Amino acid sequence: MTDMDRRSILQLTSAATIAGGLVVGAGGAAQAARRAADRRITLKGRRTGANIPDVLTTGVPYFVRYDLSDAEGRSVGTENAHCLPVTVGTDGSYVMATLVLSLDDGMITAATAFQRPLPAVTELPVGSPRWTHEFAITGGTRSYVGAAGSITIEHPTRDEDVLTIDLTDATQ
Protein backbone atom coordinates (compact mmCIF):
# COMPACT_ATOMS: atom_id res chain seq x y z
CA MET A 1 0.00 0.00 0.00
CA THR A 2 1.43 3.37 -0.96
CA ASP A 3 1.45 6.49 1.19
CA MET A 4 -1.15 8.00 -1.15
CA ASP A 5 -3.52 5.03 -0.61
CA ARG A 6 -3.09 5.26 3.18
CA ARG A 7 -3.74 8.96 3.13
CA SER A 8 -6.93 8.47 1.05
CA ILE A 9 -8.16 5.75 3.41
CA LEU A 10 -7.46 7.96 6.47
CA GLN A 11 -9.26 10.89 4.85
CA LEU A 12 -12.29 8.71 3.99
CA THR A 13 -12.33 7.22 7.50
CA SER A 14 -12.12 10.68 9.08
CA ALA A 15 -14.90 11.98 6.83
CA ALA A 16 -17.11 9.00 7.71
CA THR A 17 -16.45 9.48 11.44
CA ILE A 18 -17.31 13.18 11.26
CA ALA A 19 -20.47 12.49 9.22
CA GLY A 20 -21.51 9.79 11.68
CA GLY A 21 -21.01 12.20 14.57
CA LEU A 22 -23.14 14.80 12.82
CA VAL A 23 -25.94 12.30 12.26
CA VAL A 24 -25.82 11.14 15.89
CA GLY A 25 -25.66 14.78 17.04
CA ALA A 26 -28.68 15.68 14.91
CA GLY A 27 -30.57 12.69 16.32
CA GLY A 28 -29.72 13.79 19.85
CA ALA A 29 -30.88 17.33 19.08
CA ALA A 30 -34.15 16.01 17.62
CA GLN A 31 -34.72 13.87 20.70
CA ALA A 32 -34.06 16.86 22.96
CA ALA A 33 -36.57 18.90 20.93
CA ARG A 34 -39.17 16.13 21.35
CA ARG A 35 -38.58 16.09 25.11
CA ALA A 36 -39.09 19.84 25.16
CA ALA A 37 -42.54 19.20 23.63
CA ASP A 38 -43.49 17.15 26.71
CA ARG A 39 -45.55 19.34 28.99
CA ARG A 40 -48.11 19.42 31.76
CA ILE A 41 -51.27 21.52 31.55
CA THR A 42 -53.67 21.96 34.46
CA LEU A 43 -57.22 23.18 33.77
CA LYS A 44 -60.31 23.64 35.92
CA GLY A 45 -63.78 22.69 34.75
CA ARG A 46 -67.23 23.90 35.73
CA ARG A 47 -70.09 21.61 34.66
CA THR A 48 -72.43 23.32 32.20
CA GLY A 49 -74.38 20.33 30.93
CA ALA A 50 -75.11 16.68 31.55
CA ASN A 51 -77.78 14.08 31.05
CA ILE A 52 -76.68 11.72 33.82
CA PRO A 53 -79.69 9.66 34.84
CA ASP A 54 -80.71 9.36 38.49
CA VAL A 55 -79.97 5.64 38.29
CA LEU A 56 -77.32 4.33 35.90
CA THR A 57 -78.38 1.48 33.62
CA THR A 58 -76.05 -0.90 31.86
CA GLY A 59 -75.82 0.06 28.19
CA VAL A 60 -77.55 3.45 28.53
CA PRO A 61 -75.07 6.25 27.68
CA TYR A 62 -74.85 9.70 29.19
CA PHE A 63 -72.74 12.81 28.59
CA VAL A 64 -71.17 15.59 30.63
CA ARG A 65 -69.87 18.97 29.51
CA TYR A 66 -67.61 21.39 31.36
CA ASP A 67 -66.36 24.87 30.52
CA LEU A 68 -62.60 24.95 31.05
CA SER A 69 -60.37 27.69 32.42
CA ASP A 70 -56.65 28.02 32.99
CA ALA A 71 -54.81 28.89 36.22
CA GLU A 72 -55.55 32.59 35.69
CA GLY A 73 -59.29 31.90 35.27
CA ARG A 74 -59.33 32.62 31.51
CA SER A 75 -61.73 30.55 29.40
CA VAL A 76 -59.74 28.10 27.25
CA GLY A 77 -62.37 25.73 25.85
CA THR A 78 -64.68 22.86 26.74
CA GLU A 79 -64.51 19.29 27.99
CA ASN A 80 -67.08 16.86 26.59
CA ALA A 81 -67.34 13.24 27.69
CA HIS A 82 -69.57 10.46 26.39
CA CYS A 83 -69.91 7.66 28.95
CA LEU A 84 -71.34 4.15 28.72
CA PRO A 85 -71.98 2.09 31.87
CA VAL A 86 -70.88 -1.51 31.27
CA THR A 87 -71.85 -2.84 34.70
CA VAL A 88 -73.89 -1.19 37.44
CA GLY A 89 -74.15 -2.07 41.12
CA THR A 90 -75.07 -0.43 44.40
CA ASP A 91 -71.40 0.27 45.11
CA GLY A 92 -70.71 1.94 41.76
CA SER A 93 -70.42 1.22 38.08
CA TYR A 94 -67.81 0.33 35.49
CA VAL A 95 -67.88 2.91 32.71
CA MET A 96 -66.22 3.22 29.30
CA ALA A 97 -65.76 6.83 28.20
CA THR A 98 -64.45 8.98 25.40
CA LEU A 99 -63.32 12.54 25.98
CA VAL A 100 -62.87 15.52 23.67
CA LEU A 101 -61.15 18.66 24.91
CA SER A 102 -61.93 21.49 22.48
CA LEU A 103 -59.24 24.02 23.35
CA ASP A 104 -58.38 27.39 21.83
CA ASP A 105 -55.28 25.93 20.14
CA GLY A 106 -56.66 22.53 19.05
CA MET A 107 -58.43 19.39 20.22
CA ILE A 108 -57.25 16.51 22.38
CA THR A 109 -59.09 13.18 22.31
CA ALA A 110 -58.84 10.50 24.98
CA ALA A 111 -60.45 7.25 26.16
CA THR A 112 -60.77 5.25 29.38
CA ALA A 113 -62.61 2.58 31.29
CA PHE A 114 -62.98 3.20 35.02
CA GLN A 115 -64.77 2.18 38.18
CA ARG A 116 -67.07 5.05 39.12
CA PRO A 117 -67.29 4.96 42.92
CA LEU A 118 -70.66 6.64 43.20
CA PRO A 119 -73.65 4.43 43.92
CA ALA A 120 -76.20 3.70 41.21
CA VAL A 121 -78.01 6.86 42.34
CA THR A 122 -75.52 9.18 40.68
CA GLU A 123 -76.18 12.77 41.65
CA LEU A 124 -76.12 13.04 45.40
CA PRO A 125 -76.72 16.73 46.21
CA VAL A 126 -74.11 16.86 48.98
CA GLY A 127 -71.42 14.62 50.33
CA SER A 128 -70.41 13.07 46.99
CA PRO A 129 -67.04 11.42 47.46
CA ARG A 130 -64.01 12.87 45.66
CA TRP A 131 -62.78 10.58 42.94
CA THR A 132 -60.20 10.50 40.17
CA HIS A 133 -59.83 8.67 36.89
CA GLU A 134 -57.28 8.61 34.09
CA PHE A 135 -57.71 8.79 30.32
CA ALA A 136 -55.18 7.73 27.68
CA ILE A 137 -54.68 10.43 25.06
CA THR A 138 -55.59 9.00 21.66
CA GLY A 139 -54.83 11.97 19.41
CA GLY A 140 -55.14 15.63 18.74
CA THR A 141 -55.36 18.43 16.20
CA ARG A 142 -53.43 21.65 15.50
CA SER A 143 -51.09 22.26 18.49
CA TYR A 144 -51.69 18.68 19.69
CA VAL A 145 -50.99 16.67 16.49
CA GLY A 146 -48.95 13.62 17.47
CA ALA A 147 -49.83 14.01 21.13
CA ALA A 148 -49.81 11.07 23.47
CA GLY A 149 -49.89 10.82 27.22
CA SER A 150 -52.63 10.92 29.81
CA ILE A 151 -55.32 13.10 31.32
CA THR A 152 -56.11 12.70 35.00
CA ILE A 153 -59.46 14.11 36.06
CA GLU A 154 -60.21 14.75 39.72
CA HIS A 155 -63.77 15.49 40.82
CA PRO A 156 -63.58 17.54 44.04
CA THR A 157 -67.32 18.34 43.86
CA ARG A 158 -70.30 17.28 41.80
CA ASP A 159 -70.05 20.27 39.42
CA GLU A 160 -66.29 20.86 39.30
CA ASP A 161 -63.31 18.96 37.99
CA VAL A 162 -59.57 19.49 37.67
CA LEU A 163 -57.74 18.14 34.63
CA THR A 164 -54.03 17.39 34.65
CA ILE A 165 -52.93 16.83 31.05
CA ASP A 166 -49.53 15.17 30.69
CA LEU A 167 -48.56 15.43 27.01
CA THR A 168 -45.75 13.50 25.40
CA ASP A 169 -44.69 13.27 21.77
CA ALA A 170 -45.95 9.96 20.34
CA THR A 171 -42.85 9.66 18.12
CA GLN A 172 -40.41 9.26 21.04
Side-chain angles (χ1 to χ4, degrees), residues 31-43 101 103-108 137 139-152 163-170 172:
Q31 186 174 12
R34 281 195 300 269
R35 279 195 203 113
D38 293 357
R39 62 184 186 222
R40 175 173 276 186
I41 302 167
T42 301
L43 302 173
L101 303 181
L103 304 172
D104 293 342
D105 57 347
M107 283 196 294
I108 299 173
I137 294 175
T141 65
R142 295 181 21 221
S143 295
Y144 306 103
V145 169
S150 64
I151 301 171
T152 302
L163 289 75
T164 303
I165 305 164
D166 288 309
L167 292 169
T168 59
D169 185 336
Q172 287 187 31

Side-chain angles (χ1 to χ4, degrees), residues 68 76-80 100-108:
L68 297 173
V76 295
T78 60
E79 166 193 353
N80 298 281
V100 176
L101 303 181
S102 297
L103 304 172
D104 293 342
D105 57 347
M107 283 196 294
I108 299 173

Side-chain angles (χ1 to χ4, degrees), residues 50-111:
N51 74 339
I52 303 172
D54 290 337
V55 177
L56 294 181
T57 303
T58 299
V60 177
Y62 62 92
F63 79 90
V64 291
R65 176 185 171 92
Y66 293 81
D67 286 340
L68 297 173
S69 59
D70 63 14
E72 287 78 36
R74 293 181 300 243
S75 176
V76 295
T78 60
E79 166 193 353
N80 298 281
H82 180 262
C83 305
L84 179 68
V86 178
T87 61
V88 176
T90 56
D91 61 344
S93 59
Y94 192 72
V95 177
M96 293 187 335
T98 56
L99 179 71
V100 176
L101 303 181
S102 297
L103 304 172
D104 293 342
D105 57 347
M107 283 196 294
I108 299 173
T109 59

